[in-house]
Amino acid sequence: MIKPLLGLSLTALIFSSCTKDHDPQPQPRTISIENVLDSRPLVQSGTFKGAGAPPVILPGQSISFSFSASKNQRLTFATMYGWSNDLFFAPENPGIRLYGDDGTPITGEISSKIKLWDNGTRVNGKPGMALVHPGTAEAAKRNIKEVNGMDDYGHAFLPASQLMKVSLNYDGSSMFTVTIKNQSGGTANETPFSPGNWAISYVAGNDLLLPEPIYSKDKATTEALTRIAEAGDNGPMSAMLTGLTGIFTPLSPILVIVYNGSENPFFKSGENDRGEGLKELAQKGNADMLAKALTGKGGVKNVYVLKEPNSTVLLPKIGGNPGGKVSQSLSLMPGDRIAIATMYGFSNDWFFAPKGNGIDGSTTGDVSSSIGLYDNGTAIDQFPGAGITQFNLAGTPLAESKAIALVPNPNQFTTLPAIGSMIKVTLQ
């Protein structure tokens, strides 16, 4: 009886040893998330012109254009004083305020904010129809300066507000319409206005990213502005502003989850927000509530919230500087999956997260193609980066209740870059 028992014991020991040798071993991985957006400082820009041929705005005529804006953003524009050699109308930098300190939209006539400026590239003559041709070039080009009652050559000019009437109307949901009327008819400074350009800068914190997009007082002009001031040609300025207009957004602290299961543990496209903290992440960039709700949840193995040490949020590329980046070491078993979530910072409730059932933990390399941009459906959307109710622009989101869905691109507000041009996710 002793021999069979001994043989059985040896067999069990050998089997146990073999089983241990073939047990799955955890695999070390590092996940990195980076804001790779090549950002732009202007959230919107555009052009305006008269309805005739040539498309100037004659005395008595008006033009209008519309835009979105958040608190602390400013409107600026430029148009030529047509019967001059190089004069132009524009608000004083950084532009026209659109909201009061309490967030109330400013409406009504704002003509007093408009000034008349000398581009400093042509000798001025007496205002009038005789100056529809280019004047003599300045012997030495001068800096841009305000024409305040009289130019440097002794020619008198009425205040810009008596020649141009500018009005603001608030259309709701952060939308404004501005109307520019030529009221110079019958004055000593009667003149058409040329086609023009307008722009709105992003605000980060309380600072405009580009506070002087069209001109700089007491500094030399640009070729694009000279084309407006001398010839009423807004094409070069349009090209310049278009190149400065686009997307700017930080990414909020990154939620990273390691789990084992058949479904993403915190959301599913087509269902409403579960009330576990995704709303707070999508609207305010706060991942703590969702991280707490997921810790210990069935199938969830690890939960991390990754922050940059200096700025917390991950800023985009700005002025040649790289975007923000965070990394986390992971220990993954076969079958483990990874999900991330981070807010599109300058939105009402958009967030980046994997499509479908997360990221396969056995994958290596760039996995950005698995990421989608989702609308959480809990706050009414506005123009990204120009919405008065966006939390990161000092607003209070307006509640709605819709199913979570991918953000269309292009959408009703703007055209976004490809996902991989905004956020990069790698596993190594």
Side-chain angles (χ1 to χ4, degrees):
M1 293 297 292
I2 294 175
K3 289 184 178 179
L5 287 173
L6 180 59
L8 181 61
S9 298
L10 288 172
T11 302
L13 181 61
I14 293 170
F15 180 77
S16 174
S17 175
C18 291
T19 302
K20 288 180 179 178
D21 289 343
H22 291 86
D23 277 349
Q25 299 298 308
Q27 297 297 311
R29 291 279 191 274
T30 297
I31 188 169
S32 298
I33 301 97
E34 184 177 1
N35 189 334
V36 293
L37 177 65
D38 188 6
S39 67
R40 297 291 183 269
L42 298 181
V43 61
Q44 296 166 90
S45 62
T47 61
F48 58 87
K49 63 182 181 179
V56 297
I57 306 161
L58 297 171
Q61 294 181 340
S62 299
I63 62 93
S64 296
F65 57 87
S66 298
F67 55 90
S68 292
S70 67
K71 189 178 178 181
N72 297 324
Q73 290 181 328
R74 304 291 187 101
L75 167 69
T76 190
F77 63 84
T79 176
M80 181 189 182
Y81 180 119
W83 288 343
S84 74
N85 291 326
D86 68 339
L87 304 183
F88 66 94
F89 295 98
E92 189 163 11
N93 286 323
I96 298 167
R97 290 188 70 191
L98 301 164
Y99 296 90
D101 292 338
D102 62 352
T104 301
I106 293 173
T107 60
E109 187 174 349
I110 52 170
S111 307
S112 62
K113 306 300 180 183
I114 312 304
K115 308 291 184 182
L116 183 61
W117 304 91
D118 186 338
N119 193 53
T121 52
R122 294 282 172 181
V123 174
N124 292 326
K126 183 178 179 180
M129 293 182 65
L131 295 181
V132 293
H133 57 81
T136 305
E138 295 276 12
K141 290 186 177 181
R142 301 179 302 158
N143 292 337
I144 295 170
K145 65 180 296 182
E146 182 183 351
V147 178
N148 192 1
M150 189 171 292
D151 67 10
D152 287 349
Y153 304 95
H155 304 124
F157 288 88
L158 293 170
S161 59
Q162 294 187 31
L163 307 176
M164 174 183 287
K165 181 179 180 180
V166 182
S167 303
L168 268 178
N169 184 70
Y170 185 64
D171 306 323
S173 195
S174 298
M175 290 288 298
F176 290 85
T177 296
V178 64
T179 300
I180 299 173
K181 181 178 181 180
N182 187 334
Q183 58 181 15
S184 68
T187 72
N189 298 119
E190 183 170 337
T191 181
F193 304 154
S194 75
N197 302 85
W198 61 269
I200 304 283
S201 171
Y202 279 103
V203 169
N206 290 320
D207 298 325
L208 292 163
L209 295 187
L210 192 59
E212 298 182 346
I214 292 179
Y215 77 97
S216 296
K217 180 181 178 181
D218 297 326
K219 294 183 180 179
T221 188
T222 63
E223 178 59 30
L225 180 57
T226 296
R227 292 298 300 164
I228 291 180
E230 290 186 4
D233 178 6
N234 66 347
M237 179 64 74
S238 178
M240 186 188 80
L241 294 178
T242 297
L244 296 169
T245 304
I247 302 301
F248 178 97
T249 188
L251 302 179
S252 69
I254 313 294
L255 179 71
V256 176
I257 310 154
V258 177
Y259 65 99
N260 193 300
S262 60
E263 291 187 352
N264 188 314
F266 68 89
F267 93 101
K268 182 188 294 185
S269 184
E271 71 176 14
N272 283 32
D273 183 274
R274 298 174 183 176
E276 298 177 335
L278 180 58
K279 181 179 79 169
E280 284 68 26
L281 183 149
Q283 291 187 11
K284 301 178 181 180
N286 186 343
D288 295 340
M289 181 177 173
L290 183 56
K292 183 177 180 180
L294 291 171
T295 301
K297 192 172 185 178
V300 175
K301 302 173 72 172
N302 299 103
V303 179
Y304 309 91
V305 177
L306 311 183
K307 303 177 182 179
E308 274 217 317
N310 296 325
S311 65
T312 303
V313 299
L314 276 64
L315 293 173
K317 298 177 183 178
I318 306 173
N321 295 318
K325 182 178 181 179
V326 292
S327 298
Q328 177 65 47
S329 297
L330 306 174
S331 181
L332 303 180
M333 297 294 290
D336 282 351
R337 305 194 72 82
I338 304 166
I340 71 162
T342 179
M343 179 188 183
Y344 182 111
F346 282 174
S347 72
N348 295 81
D349 66 339
W350 293 356
F351 67 98
F352 292 99
K355 295 175 286 188
N357 186 23
I359 301 165
D360 185 342
S362 65
T363 307
T364 58
D366 188 340
V367 295
S368 307
S369 61
S370 67
I371 305 298
L373 178 60
Y374 290 89
D375 182 345
N376 188 236
T378 54
I380 296 173
D381 289 331
Q382 296 170 331
F383 197 109
I388 189 61
T389 66
Q390 289 166 11
F391 179 81
N392 289 317
L393 294 174
T396 301
L398 298 176
E400 68 174 358
S401 181
K402 297 193 307 184
I404 297 170
L406 286 167
V407 175
N409 192 26
N411 51 67
Q412 60 179 313
F413 306 109
T414 189
T415 299
L416 297 165
I419 298 295
S421 296
M422 294 186 281
I423 182 172
K424 182 178 182 180
V425 182
T426 56
L427 267 178
Q428 300 295 346

